[in-house]
Amino acid sequence: MKENAALLTHASQLLTLRGNVAPRRGSRMSDLGVIPDGAVLIANGKISAVGTTDELRKQSTNADEIDCRNKVVLPGFVDSHTHPVFAAPRLIDFEKRIAGANYEEIAAAGGGIRASIRGVRESSVSELADRVLKALNEMSAYGTTTVEAKSGYGLDFDSELKSLEAIQRAAQRWPGTVVPTLLAAHVVPPEHRDNPDEYVRIVCDEMIPAAAQRNLADYVDVFCERGAFTPDQSVRILRAAVANGLKTRIHIGQLTHTAVELFAQFHPASVDHLDHLTDADIAWLAKTDTVATLLPAANYFLGLSTFPPARKLIDSGVAVALATDYNPGTSPTTSMPFVLSVACTHMKMSPAEAITAATINGACALNLQHRKGSLEPGKDADIAIFDASDYRELPYWFGVNRCWKTLRGGTP
Ligand code: NIG
Ligand code: FE
C-alpha cells in the first residue's frame, strides 16, 4: 500500500483517452477509451492504475475510496488559452455591441483591449493575483485542472512583468497547473501609437529577455491582426522569443486572414482562433504538430453567426483543441463545459471530439501531453468527475454546472 492512495470506483463511464502522446486527429478524436464501471488508483498525486472496479479492487486494499456511481470520470480539462490578468469587466463594450457596434468599431472608439490597460497599470501585483486566483478556482469548479494564462493588458515593461508575477503568485496558491505566457504584443499601447515599431523593439529587446531571465513565462504569444501587429512585426517578436529560449503560440485569423505557414519556422505549439482560414492553411496544419485551438465562446459572446470551420479542420486531419479564451472583452467565461456545448451546437463537433479537444489535444497545445490530458499510469492525477452517466451529457447540459469534483495532482 502506497502513501496518500485514493481509489475512484464504479464510474458509469471512465474516459481514459489513453493511447499515444501525439495530438489526436480525424477519427482518433472520437476514441475516448471508455471503461464502464471504471476505477482509477491514485498514489502520491499520480495515477498508478486504471481499469474496471473489479480489477483495481484486487490491486488496492486500503486506499480511501471515492464512490463514483452515476458519474463520468475523465481527465481534467486543459484550458490552453486564457487572459485572466485584468482589473474589471468591460460593460461599456458589452452594451455598445448589443446596440450594433462590432469589435473593431469599439476598439477604434477607445474600447477593446486598450480599455483594460489603465486598470492593470493601477493595480498592485497582489490585487491582480487575487483576481487570477478567483478565476482559477472558478475554472476548477467546472472541471479544469491545467490553465494557460497570458499577460497582455499592462502593455508596458513594468505592467507586463507585474502581470506575469500575478500569474505566478496565483499559481502558487492553486493546486492545478498554470502555464504562463507573455502577450506583451496584444495591441500597441496609446503612448506608442505614432511609432509602433518602437513598441515592438521594447517587447523584443526588453520584455521578452526579462520574462525569460526571471523565469516568468514559458511562451510568447502575439496577436497578429489588422489593428494589432503585422506579420512582419509578429515574426520579429517570435524570433526574439526563440532567441531567449521561450516557446511560441499565435492569435491568428480572428478578424482577417493571415497565412499560418508564415510562422512555420517557429514551430508554434498552437495557432488560435482561425476564423479566417484557407485550404492552404488547412493543408499545412494537417501535416504539422501545431495544434489548431478554437475559441467558439468568443464567437458566441460577440454575437457572431459564423464560427471557425471545425468540421473541415478535423475531417482534413488537423489536430483541434478547444479553450475558453477567458478575457474581459470577447469571452468572459471560465467554463470549459460551456465551450464544449457551443463547439457541438455551432461547430458541429461531436461530444467525443469536443472532449478530446479539451483534454489530450489541449495538453498537446501546451507541450504537456506526457503529464496531462489522459488517465494513464504515471500521469498526474488531474481528474474531473461529472454528475452524469454518459459523456454526451457534458456538452448537453449547458448554463449549469454538473462538475461534482475536481482532483488536481490528487488534491480535491
Ligand atoms: O482572444 N484577440 C485578442 N485577444 C482577445 C480579446 C481580448 C480583449 O478584447 O480584451 C481574444 O479574443
Ligand atoms: Fe485570446
Side-chain angles (χ1 to χ4, degrees), residues 36 51 249 262 264 309:
R249 47 203 321 107
L262 285 177

Side-chain angles (χ1 to χ4, degrees), residues 81 83 90 103 113 153 186 223 251 254 273 325 327-330:
H81 182 140
H83 305 247
R90 293 217 302 269
Y103 189 79
I113 295 164
Y153 294 108
H186 204 183
F223 186 18
H251 281 71
Q254 184 180 14
H273 281 289
D325 196 15
N327 78 72
T330 65

Side-chain angles (χ1 to χ4, degrees), residues 89-411:
R90 293 217 302 269
L91 305 175
I92 295 171
D93 292 10
F94 184 45
E95 285 195 316
K96 278 189 175 170
R97 198 155 40 240
I98 293 165
N102 70 24
Y103 189 79
E104 288 181 286
E105 287 161 353
I106 290 169
I113 295 164
R114 289 185 189 88
S116 292
I117 298 175
R118 199 208 292 183
V120 168
R121 289 186 180 172
E122 290 177 355
S123 297
S124 66
V125 189
S126 68
E127 284 165 341
L128 293 172
D130 286 349
R131 292 193 70 94
V132 174
L133 181 61
K134 188 162 181 266
L136 294 173
N137 284 331
E138 258 178 53
M139 289 170 184
S140 44
Y142 284 95
T144 298
T145 52
T146 297
V147 176
E148 184 261 9
K150 306 175 198 294
S151 67
Y153 294 108
L155 304 181
D156 63 24
F157 183 93
D158 289 343
S159 307
E160 283 298 299
L161 275 285
K162 177 174 70 179
S163 298
L164 292 174
E165 269 170 45
I167 291 169
Q168 186 183 60
R169 283 200 201 177
Q172 285 160 355
R173 288 150 65 195
W174 190 64
T177 301
V178 177
V179 176
T181 295
L182 176 69
L183 176 60
H186 204 183
V187 286
V188 177
E191 62 272 25
H192 293 290
R193 184 167 280 158
D194 297 333
N195 191 359
D197 282 327
E198 171 59 9
Y199 184 66
V200 173
R201 188 199 64 74
I202 294 169
V203 173
C204 294
D205 296 353
E206 298 173 19
M207 295 193 208
I208 291 173
Q213 269 154 29
R214 298 182 204 177
N215 245 325
L216 285 170
D218 291 351
Y219 285 90
V220 169
D221 193 348
V222 54
F223 186 18
C224 179
E225 189 54 80
R226 180 170 75 197
F229 294 87
T230 65
D232 277 357
Q233 292 170 333
S234 302
V235 163
R236 279 160 58 197
I237 288 158
L238 297 175
R239 197 175 284 144
V242 173
N244 283 276
L246 299 178
K247 294 175 279 187
T248 62
R249 47 203 321 107
I250 312 169
H251 281 71
I252 190 166
Q254 184 180 14
L255 309 172
T256 59
H257 175 254
T258 302
V260 176
E261 200 175 347
L262 285 177
F263 303 103
Q265 58 180 304
F266 304 112
H267 305 290
S270 175
V271 288
D272 300 35
H273 281 289
L274 304 175
D275 293 79
H276 298 267
L277 213 53
T278 63
D279 288 348
D281 296 316
I282 294 176
W284 182 80
L285 283 166
K287 50 177 213 240
T288 67
D289 272 351
T290 294
V291 173
T293 300
L294 308 183
L295 310 165
N299 299 60
Y300 161 82
F301 188 73
L302 293 174
L304 304 179
S305 53
T306 55
F307 284 80
R311 240 341 341 122
K312 195 167 179 187
L313 286 162
I314 294 171
D315 296 341
S316 306
V318 175
V320 168
L322 289 167
T324 59
D325 196 15
Y326 173 65
N327 78 72
T330 65
S331 191
T333 182
T334 46
S335 168
M336 284 294 279
F338 175 74
V339 172
L340 269 60
S341 192
V342 181
C344 293
T345 56
H346 290 267
M347 298 199 299
K348 310 304 175 198
M349 289 173 68
S350 69
E353 289 170 340
I355 289 169
T356 299
T359 54
I360 188 67
N361 280 9
C364 291
L366 297 176
N367 286 305
L368 288 177
Q369 62 271 31
H370 298 279
R371 285 171 54 201
K372 312 285 184 188
S374 64
L375 301 181
E376 296 178 89
K379 283 201 168 181
D380 295 343
D382 289 355
I383 300 175
I385 308 173
F386 275 75
D387 191 2
S389 303
D390 186 307
Y391 69 82
R392 291 172 294 186
E393 292 181 62
L394 272 63
Y396 173 88
W397 303 110
F398 80 96
V400 289
N401 190 8
R402 290 285 182 124
C403 181
W404 178 68
K405 236 185 232 317
T406 309
L407 304 178
R408 295 150 295 180
T411 303

Side-chain angles (χ1 to χ4, degrees), residues 40-53:
V40 185
L41 182 61
I42 299 168
N44 300 316
K46 301 273 184 200
I47 294 170
S48 50
V50 295
T52 63
T53 302

